Structure formats: structure tokens, C-alpha cells
Amino acid sequence: AADNDDNKKKKNNNKNQFKISPKYGGDGGQPFDHGNNKHISKITMYTDGHVVVGIEMMYLNLDGRGPKLIVAGKKEGESQAFHLEKNEFITWAKVRANKFVQELTFRTNKGKMLGPVGGQGWRGGILSKDKCGDETEVPGPFKKQLCGIMGGAGSFVDSIAFRWGPVPEKVLSGN
């Protein structure tokens, strides 16, 4: 019976290693969830100057299998790509959102800023789909890294939540 209790504790500890932030943005779009990943090696963000149109994440799972490329939203408009080193990971995010995700910024453990990319919604006129939203800083929990994103997306990224998880030893050491 003692072995069974130990196994339960291990499973519960695993659950506590991962955290999900609140969702920022509106309720539209098709749901997406990139799951928990070991390492983000590249982020490409797309914008029309008003909102974030799409986010493409390249995940490396450090198990010898090739990278996994996942897109939320559309790969349209102006793009900015950010490459992360093997021992670099995202520890902080800032999001401006209202009905859509308007602007995203990330910061790594090495102090590198990725962004801001996006805008402040649409101002006035017929196209005022979304007025300027609030900015929220989303620091990762202690000793955690960004390991995935989830939310809703269609023509734009409607909403985003951040998945935080443990930093693998291989990432810390840069091997």
C-alpha cells in the first residue's frame, strides 16, 4: 500500500508543476491549446498594426524528435520573429486586450524583450471593432517558464492564456 501512496504523491506533484494564467481578451474564435512543452525556440507574431493577428510557436521537446510548429490565428500582416537560445526561456509576459489580444510582449530569463507586437485596437470610425484595452503584466510563477499558450483565435487572436511549467535541466544547462 505504501508504494501506491508514493505513486499518488508523484502524480499530484506533477500536476502542481504546471500553472495556467487567467485568460485575457474576448470570447470569440476557435479554441486552441498548445499544451505543455519543454522549450520554446522561436516565436513569430503577426499584426495588422491594431491587434495580434497570429502567433506561431516553435517548440522543442528535447527528446530527439523534430521541432513542433503551431499557429494560433493567421500568418498575415507584419511579422516579427524572436529566436531563443538553448538556455533561454520566457519568464514574463505583458498583454493588452479587450475583445481581442491587441499587443503582446515577452521577456526572457536573460532580460531580452520580445516585442511589443500589435497595437491599441481600432480608434473610432466604422471599424472600431475593439477600443484600446488594458495592459496586464503576467509574471511567470517562481522557477517556471512559459511552456505553451491557449485561448481563442479566428481572423485575429481573440484571447490568450499562458501555460507555465518547470524549466528542464537541459534548458538550464544549455545542452
Side-chain angles (χ1 to χ4, degrees):
D3 283 345
N4 244 353
D5 286 346
D6 283 347
N7 284 341
K8 278 183 189 166
K9 278 182 192 162
K10 277 182 187 164
K11 278 185 183 163
N12 286 341
N13 279 346
N14 215 12
K15 274 185 189 162
N16 294 336
Q17 288 185 349
F18 295 95
K19 305 274 184 223
I20 300 174
S21 78
K23 181 182 87 167
Y24 303 95
D27 295 323
Q30 293 295 310
F32 69 87
D33 186 349
H34 292 189
N36 295 321
N37 299 276
K38 301 272 192 231
H39 182 63
I40 297 169
S41 64
K42 182 180 172 189
I43 299 175
T44 307
M45 293 189 275
Y46 298 85
T47 181
D48 63 0
H50 302 284
V51 295
V52 177
V53 175
I55 307 167
E56 181 180 63
M57 306 286 268
M58 183 181 288
Y59 299 104
L60 294 179
N61 284 323
L62 310 176
D63 58 4
R65 287 183 294 171
K68 183 167 68 168
L69 210 57
I70 308 178
V71 178
K74 295 194 180 315
K75 291 169 61 172
E76 293 176 1
E78 186 183 313
S79 69
Q80 281 190 42
F82 304 98
H83 297 266
L84 282 79
E85 296 171 32
K86 282 187 177 172
N87 60 350
E88 187 173 32
F89 48 92
I90 293 167
T91 58
W92 177 92
K94 184 165 64 174
V95 59
R96 180 196 307 280
N98 193 7
K99 292 180 194 163
F100 302 102
V101 174
Q102 297 171 347
E103 190 175 79
L104 281 172
T105 308
F106 296 103
R107 186 172 59 217
T108 73
N109 60 313
K110 296 184 176 238
K112 185 162 75 179
M113 297 299 276
L114 316 178
V117 172
Q120 298 185 357
W122 293 268
R123 299 182 191 272
I126 296 168
L127 284 177
S128 66
K129 300 175 200 160
D130 200 19
K131 63 181 198 277
C132 188
D134 293 327
E135 276 189 346
T136 308
E137 290 192 23
V138 189
F142 184 63
K143 289 190 171 180
K144 302 278 187 236
Q145 68 165 345
L146 183 68
C147 65
I149 57 172
M150 57 193 294
S155 296
F156 311 110
V157 177
D158 294 73
S159 63
I160 193 167
F162 304 99
R163 289 181 163 278
W164 301 101
V167 181
E169 222 28 73
K170 276 186 172 181
V171 173
L172 282 174
S173 67
N175 291 331

